[in-house]
Amino acid sequence: MTMPCPTDRPDRRRALLLGLGAVILGAAPALAQDRAAPDAALQAAIVKSNAYTALLNRTLRAVDSWNRYRSWVDLRRGPTGRERYITYGLYSLYDVRSEIEKAEQAVVQEPAMPDLDDAMRRYIQSYATLAPLIARANVYYERKDYQDDGAALGRELHREMVPAAEAFLKDRAEVEQHMRAMRADLDGRELADIERREGRSARWNVRNVMIAARAVMDLMPSDERPVVDLAAFDAAIGRYSAALRDLDKLKETDPSGASVIDSQAGSWLGSLREYRQKLGRVRGDARRAGGHERMWIVNNYNMMVSMAQTRLRIGR
């Protein structure tokens, strides 16, 4: 059993999903008269994707909280009150009422995406079932109430939390699967739409780099999937490298256009290649490759997400 560090901040070590550009497009300055208008159908799909992405990012805290709990408790028998790391407890959850409201609105908005929309409905419901249990358990262990009742309430909560967490994780995995397919489609459509209206502008290049970066992150190892598909990882790194070369071409004519992410994006590629070498020596098994580089890669990807969003909101 892997024991977490009491100061672990898993929300800082997990990769954020990058929202697409509907709000960015809508907030941009008016286009010149001779430029085509944005694709309305694409914008509607991006609004839905962004609402779902925001909820997935914010509710990732529940995944981290559950992993924190399961790191010290025996899931088969529940807590006894005598566990060595019982003081680790769980993580408190974030307020996600706004994200849930927007996701529920997106579920019934066009374009209809029946499989994804239905999966999101189930996900919202399973989160609504699990979240209050985690909140109660967090308070219970934080206050060390298990010392008063011999962990009786802890075992009661455990019996409810285990099936609720299993349902939540199953529903989240299903949503993520549908979201990956949706994002792949929207990424291509969005890039084509930007190029149609602006050419391969700074905004096109920033989106292109971040789309390629997210494809790499989709293949990074996780606790659930610790062994990396090295061939797919190599291909994703190659696509990211190609996106950076396109960015380099932009700098020849627009030196300031990519300045926000240029240095960070280049350093990230170097770190990816170093980590790939380590993975190669252990046949892709991240458990044997060490965790320092992996943490740096995730943290700096999240930083690039923030930088890219800032750059894109500035407009052209």
Side-chain angles (χ1 to χ4, degrees):
M1 181 181 297
T2 301
M3 296 301 173
C5 169
T7 57
D8 256 358
R9 292 289 303 279
D11 50 311
R12 291 177 59 85
R13 296 187 291 108
R14 299 292 294 269
L16 297 174
L17 300 175
L18 176 61
L20 297 172
V23 175
I24 295 162
L25 294 179
L31 296 172
Q33 291 294 325
D34 59 341
R35 292 189 180 182
D39 183 331
L42 172 62
Q43 296 309 298
I46 289 176
V47 168
K48 174 170 287 199
S49 174
N50 284 349
Y52 289 174
T53 296
L55 181 60
L56 286 173
N57 279 338
R58 193 74 170 161
T59 52
L60 181 61
R61 180 70 166 180
V63 178
D64 293 330
S65 185
W66 178 248
N67 286 339
R68 176 81 162 183
Y69 177 71
R70 65 192 294 269
S71 72
W72 61 263
V73 75
D74 186 327
L75 289 182
R76 291 171 298 179
R77 67 177 183 176
T80 64
R82 299 184 299 276
E83 287 80 6
R84 181 178 180 184
Y85 296 97
I86 192 171
T87 56
Y88 287 3
L90 298 88
Y91 292 114
S92 60
L93 301 183
Y94 300 138
D95 183 351
V96 297
R97 286 173 293 181
S98 174
E99 287 80 7
I100 286 177
E101 181 181 358
K102 291 175 182 176
E104 287 176 334
Q105 292 170 355
V107 162
V108 297
Q109 290 172 346
E110 294 294 333
M113 301 176 181
D115 291 342
L116 174 58
D117 294 339
D118 288 346
M120 180 54 70
R121 287 190 185 94
R122 290 191 294 273
Y123 180 69
I124 292 171
Q125 183 56 55
S126 62
Y127 181 83
T129 300
L130 177 63
L133 296 172
I134 287 182
R136 288 179 64 193
N138 173 59
V139 171
Y140 178 77
Y141 290 104
E142 187 176 65
R143 296 176 178 175
K144 298 181 174 59
D145 288 341
Y146 54 85
Q147 295 179 357
D148 294 333
D149 67 356
L153 179 57
R155 287 189 290 275
E156 180 182 329
L157 288 170
H158 181 84
R159 286 191 291 271
E160 295 183 69
M161 281 197 299
V162 169
E166 290 175 348
F168 167 75
L169 294 173
K170 176 178 177 294
D171 291 339
R172 183 180 177 91
E174 185 176 353
V175 170
E176 288 178 334
Q177 179 181 357
H178 290 304
M179 284 291 293
R180 281 192 292 272
M182 177 191 189
R183 285 199 307 266
D185 174 63
L186 292 182
D187 285 342
R189 290 169 60 190
E190 187 191 12
L191 280 178
D193 188 55
I194 294 172
E195 186 172 6
R196 173 178 62 86
R197 293 182 297 110
E198 303 174 16
R200 296 202 169 188
S201 60
R203 194 152 64 99
W204 184 92
N205 276 275
V206 171
R207 287 296 296 131
N208 189 43
V209 166
M210 294 311 301
I211 287 169
R214 189 178 60 209
V216 175
M217 292 305 303
D218 285 344
L219 296 169
M220 284 288 287
S222 63
D223 292 340
E224 298 78 18
R225 193 189 63 220
V227 180
V228 176
D229 181 335
L230 293 179
F233 198 55
D234 287 342
I237 292 174
R239 288 191 294 272
Y240 178 71
S241 177
L244 287 189
R245 289 195 294 273
D246 285 334
L247 194 66
D248 290 337
K249 294 177 184 177
L250 172 71
K251 289 187 292 185
E252 296 174 3
T253 56
D254 183 8
S256 64
S259 59
V260 173
I261 69 164
D262 181 29
S263 176
Q264 192 79 18
S267 297
W268 199 66
L269 177 58
S271 297
L272 284 176
R273 286 172 167 161
E274 289 177 5
Y275 187 53
R276 168 59 179 86
Q277 288 180 344
K278 283 195 170 186
L279 288 173
R281 291 194 287 269
V282 293
R283 297 184 179 180
D285 191 339
R287 293 166 296 191
R288 299 163 54 202
H292 177 73
E293 292 86 355
R294 175 182 166 190
M295 186 182 302
W296 193 97
I297 287 168
V298 172
N299 287 344
N300 281 271
Y301 168 78
N302 289 341
M303 187 179 299
M304 283 201 302
V305 169
S306 298
M307 288 178 170
Q309 290 173 335
T310 298
R311 172 65 183 85
L312 292 168
R313 287 193 182 99
I314 291 172
R316 294 177 285 284

